Amino acid sequence: MQRIGIFDSGVGGLTVLRELDRQLPQESILYFADTDRLPYGTRSPQEILQFVREIIPWMLSQQVKMILMACNTSSALALETVRQEFDVPILGLILPGAAAAVHKGQRIGVIATPATAASHAYRDAILEIDTTVQVWEVGCPEFVPLIEQNRLHDAYTYEVARRYLQPLLDRDIDTLIYGCTHYPHLEPVLRAILPPGVRLIDPARSLVQATQQELTLLNLQNRGDRVPTQFRVSGSPQQFARLSQQWLGDFPHVEKVYLSTTLELPIESID
Ligand code: DGL
């Protein structure tokens, strides 16, 4: 009966929520968006790890049974570390996304946040599976702010997208990975620029397939009634609700939460 907790910096995780609704409609979800601190993609690895170390204990206090990082930046930079630190199944996007892409193409482009691109998490994961494919990663710093400002259909967004995609088009890619969960929201823009033969890979699909396998393996599937998704944010609930209603279909109820920061206390000896 417990929820699956999913988190992102903002509305990107809604593309993972959409897949959960499609593939695992019986599961109940807690969605957290760290909107007070977005974008994550231009932050340092240390900051991202710190944020994830604050989000997971809060999610555990909400009794979640499993956590999905609905954020590539956190998956690339913090997943391996926090998996050792917390006693809860935690899944990320990179491996499922890499595996899905390798099955589809030979010349793979990855569009991602600057932090994810710089980590080369996708390139490394793909080459681990198949050393014969070629991979090119492009950091796209302007996409997340444009999406969070609801500028999806601005002429400027098309201009920026053309600029980011050009180096990949020059390489004649056959497959493009959405290396950030915000980017499927830009599908109409990207489709308008990409040649029709280029396959788009949304890692959320395979992440949710992996989630289903994990739930079955651990015998954690929901056997009760599904309860409505809970939305929690660290920034403005109104702003998140207004922006996300276009994807959710209705105006969600959103509440603000305050994450307690981890205090690094000096160790003192007590005499
Ligand atoms: N949607 C997240 C990702 O997949 C974070 C984007 C951001 O905040 O920069 O990387």
Side-chain angles (χ1 to χ4, degrees), residues 22 24 31 49 80 91-92 110 142 160 257:
R22 206 171 62 82
L24 295 175
Y31 186 105
L49 182 58
E80 293 313 319
L91 277 69
V110 184
E142 291 199 66
V160 168
V257 292

Side-chain angles (χ1 to χ4, degrees), residues 8-13 37-42 70-74 93 112-114 116 144-145 179-183:
D8 179 41
S9 61
V11 294
R37 303 190 284 200
L38 72 81
Y40 275 13
T42 42
C71 168
N72 288 268
T73 311
S74 311
L93 288 147
T113 64
T116 302
V144 168
C180 169
T181 52
H182 278 76
Y183 300 173

Side-chain angles (χ1 to χ4, degrees), residues 94-95 98 102 110 116-131 135 137:
I94 309 292
L95 281 183
V102 166
V110 184
T116 302
S119 76
H120 298 300
Y122 269 107
R123 184 196 65 191
D124 295 348
I126 289 168
L127 294 179
E128 186 100 352
I129 304 169
D130 185 345
T131 49
V135 188
E137 297 159 296

